[in-house]
Amino acid sequence: MFRQLKARFGAPVAMAIAGILGIWLILMVTLPQLQMIDYSLRPSLLPAEIGGPKDGWTLINYVTLFNNDIHLSIFFKTLWSSVLVTSLTLLVSYPLAYYLAKTATPGQAALCLLLLIIPFWINEILRTFSWFILLAFRGPLNEILLTLGLIERPIRFLNGDTGVLVGMVYAYILFMVFPLYNAIESLDGNQIRAARDLGAGSLRTHWRIVIPHAKPGIATGCIMTFMLAAGSYAVPALLGSPGSRWFTQIIYNWFFEGGDWNQGAAYAFLLLILCIGFMALVMRLFKVGLADIAK
């Protein structure tokens, strides 16, 4: 990366950019994470006990999760639900990305991208709350279904994880569409035409030609969507029912309601480990490296 910057902008500018990037990574990423790890390894003590004999590193905050069946079940439920959100977002985004990259005219692609981007000019809380209104027990969606005679009584879409899944797929669709679009757009159209000339159907063409070429984009989109879903707080807080709590809500409660920053830091670090593990799994599954994802 430094060589590319040096070749394009010259050594002084490249060094300045690398220096700014390094300082940003240290101050905004590395040091906060190290402090969080330190917090997670220390017990929650009274102010007078800080710095005393009890103030030492311990794994008690991590053991708490595995001794709490409710929190542990929410942790694994968040893992499974985040994987489900990622899968649903991929299923929705892939046809759209392919249409934008290979089928749509420049005008159609520009219009479609504009329609996708405009809602994201609005604050995430407002966008999520709009789904709360749409999916409400007496909301517009139920009223339309009742009017059309498709249902006999209103459906409680917000009872369980349905509303959370819908809200998250909508909230993070752009983070899946753009990596897929960039990967598919670079595919030579002659390969697709050649596959069809040789008798391959649409499904076989996508499975053997498009998807293998788009693996870096799929991996990038899945990683970004999973990490955003696993770390989301606003969507499950607004669209989830009391029985569909997210692990981030437990972390929030430790920090701001329980006032136990040490326990909250341990839970947050475990969530970070979960996201890193998923990223490594996706990279291994798709056989891509960090350089491929960075493209």
Side-chain angles (χ1 to χ4, degrees), residues 8-83:
R8 184 171 183 179
F9 301 107
V13 176
M15 292 180 64
I17 294 175
I20 294 172
L21 180 61
I23 293 173
W24 181 83
L25 288 174
I26 292 173
L27 294 180
M28 304 300 294
V29 179
T30 306
L31 291 180
Q33 294 300 328
L34 291 176
Q35 187 175 22
M36 184 182 71
I37 295 172
D38 180 65
Y39 269 43
S40 70
L41 292 172
R42 295 186 183 277
S44 181
L45 301 173
L46 296 173
E49 296 176 320
I50 297 177
K54 296 182 180 180
D55 192 6
W57 281 3
T58 176
L59 296 176
I60 187 64
N61 294 321
Y62 294 93
V63 174
T64 299
L65 173 63
F66 298 98
N67 288 337
N68 191 316
D69 293 338
I70 296 177
H71 289 183
L72 191 61
S73 64
I74 293 175
F75 178 79
F76 286 113
K77 175 243 180 182
T78 300
L79 167 63
W80 160 246
S81 298
S82 299
V83 171

